[in-house]
Amino acid sequence: MNPSRKPLIAGNWKMNLGGLAGLELAMRVKSLAPQVPGVDLLVAPPFTAIAAVAHELDGTGVFVAAQNLHQQPSGAFTGEISAPMLVESGATWVIVGHSERRQFFGETDAGVDAKIRAATAASLTPIVCVGESLAEREAGRTLEVVGAQLAAVLDAIEGADGAAVAYEPVWAIGTGKNASPGDAEAVHCAIRGWLAARSEALARTTRVLYGGSLKPDNAAALLAQSNIDGGLIGGASLDIASFGAIASAAFAHARNN
Ligand code: 13P
C-alpha cells in the first residue's frame, strides 16, 4: 500500500447471504468499522439484501456495493437491475466485469465499458475487475490480457470519479491459490503504469485492489506491496473473523507507514 491512498477492503459476497444472514453479517461489519479507522470497508451483498444492509450501515462509513448492473436505466429487460434502482436501494458502489460475469454470463469488454458509464451516470462508483486465466498466465500472456481489458475501459474509468480497479487472476479465485505478493505486485505495477500513461492524477488516486484467495494468512504480505491498495475478497468476506483479520492487516500496515 502507499500512504497517499486510503486502503479499501471490499467483501464480495457473491451468491450468498441474500436475506437475514446478510443483515447479520452487516451488523458485524458495522462493529468492525470503528476498530480499523483509516481503512475504507465495503460490502457487496446480493441484490436481495442491498436495501436492508444499506439501511443497517447508513451513517457508519461502510460502503455498500452491488455485484452487477444492467447498462440501461429502465425498460423491458426482464430480470435485470439498473443503476438508478441500485441507488434507490442504498448502494453507492458497484462491481463491474467480475470474471464470473465474463466467464459464465458472456460479458465482454464493450459490455463492461457500457456498465461503467451507466454506473457513473447514476453516481455509483465502479470497481472494475480485470484478470487473466490460468492458460493465459501459462502462455506468458498475463500483461497482454490485463492490459487489453484495461485499455478497453480506460476512458470510462477516467470519467468515473474515484473508480477502483481490481486485479483478480481467474486461477486464484476460490481456489485457495493466491498470486504470490511479487507476481501480484508486478501486475499492479503495470496497471499503475497504464493509468499513468493516461494521466498522472489517475494513477496517483486510483485504488488497485487484489482479489483471489485473499485470506488472513496472506493479507499482510500482499497488502505490503506498494501498488496494492486493498482487497476484493470473496470466500473470506463471508466470515467476520476472516474479513476483520484482513481489514486489521490493512489497518496495521497503514498505521506503520
Ligand atoms: P475468493 O476470495 O473467494 O478467491 O474470491 C475472490 C473474488 O472473486 C472476489 O471478487
Side-chain angles (χ1 to χ4, degrees):
M1 300 192 307
N2 178 307
S4 68
R5 289 180 293 276
K6 193 174 181 187
L8 173 60
I9 299 298
N12 174 9
W13 296 359
K14 305 192 180 184
M15 200 168 70
N16 299 290
L17 312 183
L20 198 53
L23 182 58
E24 284 169 3
L25 181 55
M27 288 172 181
R28 297 195 172 100
V29 174
K30 184 177 181 174
S31 305
L32 168 68
Q35 299 169 37
V36 291
V39 175
D40 279 341
L41 297 180
L42 177 150
V43 293
F47 292 130
T48 51
I50 288 176
V53 166
H55 182 71
E56 180 63 27
L57 294 175
D58 190 30
T60 64
V62 179
F63 299 122
V64 178
Q67 300 171 16
N68 181 35
L69 76 164
H70 191 273
Q71 60 269 34
Q72 296 296 332
S74 63
F77 299 101
T78 301
E80 293 295 320
I81 310 275
S82 71
M85 291 172 176
L86 296 176
V87 172
E88 279 180 332
S89 300
T92 54
W93 289 65
V94 61
I95 298 170
V96 183
H98 192 280
S99 66
E100 287 152 12
R101 303 284 328 159
R102 296 178 191 254
Q103 200 178 339
F104 304 131
F105 302 97
E107 286 204 0
T108 61
D109 286 337
V112 174
D113 187 66
K115 289 183 177 196
I116 297 169
R117 292 173 195 273
T120 306
S123 300
L124 284 170
T125 307
I127 298 177
V128 182
C129 302
V130 294
E132 83 287 3
S133 68
L134 183 59
E136 289 161 345
R137 171 157 286 261
E138 287 177 342
R141 296 182 53 223
T142 298
L143 294 185
E144 175 201 332
V145 169
V146 173
Q149 287 173 340
L150 190 70
V153 298
L154 202 49
D155 285 345
I157 287 178
E158 198 178 10
D161 196 25
V165 173
Y167 169 56
E168 298 207 313
V170 177
W171 49 271
I173 295 176
T175 59
K177 281 189 245 164
N178 61 285
S180 72
D183 284 351
E185 172 65 7
V187 180
H188 281 243
C189 192
I191 292 171
R192 189 82 56 206
W194 292 316
L195 295 170
R198 175 57 60 97
S199 131
E200 283 297 335
L202 191 65
R204 200 172 49 249
T205 57
T206 302
R207 289 182 286 192
V208 185
L209 313 179
Y210 170 78
S213 297
L214 187 55
K215 308 274 184 226
D217 64 359
N218 58 31
L222 284 158
L223 296 173
Q225 305 301 312
S226 55
N227 286 292
I228 299 184
D229 305 311
L232 183 56
I233 303 143
S237 75
L238 301 177
D239 172 59
I240 192 63
S242 312
F243 189 64
I246 296 168
S248 298
F251 169 67
H253 192 274
R255 193 188 43 195
N256 296 331
N257 286 275

